[in-house]
Amino acid sequence: MCLAIPAKLVELLANEQAIVNLGGIRKEISIALVPGVAVGDYVIVHVGHAIGRIDPEEAERTLALFGEMAEFDAQQAELAP
């Protein structure tokens, strides 16, 4: 199983590289597989590579669900003996 997460593209760099925002963390990724992306686009990131664009509303919903899962996990950890 693989995991790809949505990230907002915040800066284009040389050599098909870009900076994305992953929940407040800025990370350099390759955009070679997704030609034509622009600053402000949301992309799906898997192991340091953008593998596709994603609709902004879908990206926000997905990120909100990840946040809810993290909050649930934290609550469960507090309840554990």
Side-chain angles (χ1 to χ4, degrees), residues 15-71:
N15 301 318
E16 298 182 316
Q17 299 292 301
I19 302 291
V20 293
N21 182 330
L22 294 162
I25 297 169
R26 293 171 56 95
K27 176 157 178 60
E28 186 173 334
I29 65 162
S30 169
I31 54 171
L33 300 175
V34 189
V37 292
V39 170
D41 287 349
Y42 278 90
V43 293
I44 297 294
V45 178
H46 176 64
V47 292
H49 296 270
I51 59 173
R53 271 193 203 93
I54 186 170
D55 177 82
E57 290 82 20
E58 182 65 24
E60 292 295 338
R61 282 193 298 271
T62 301
L63 292 170
L65 284 172
F66 285 160
E68 288 176 25
M69 289 188 304
E71 186 176 315

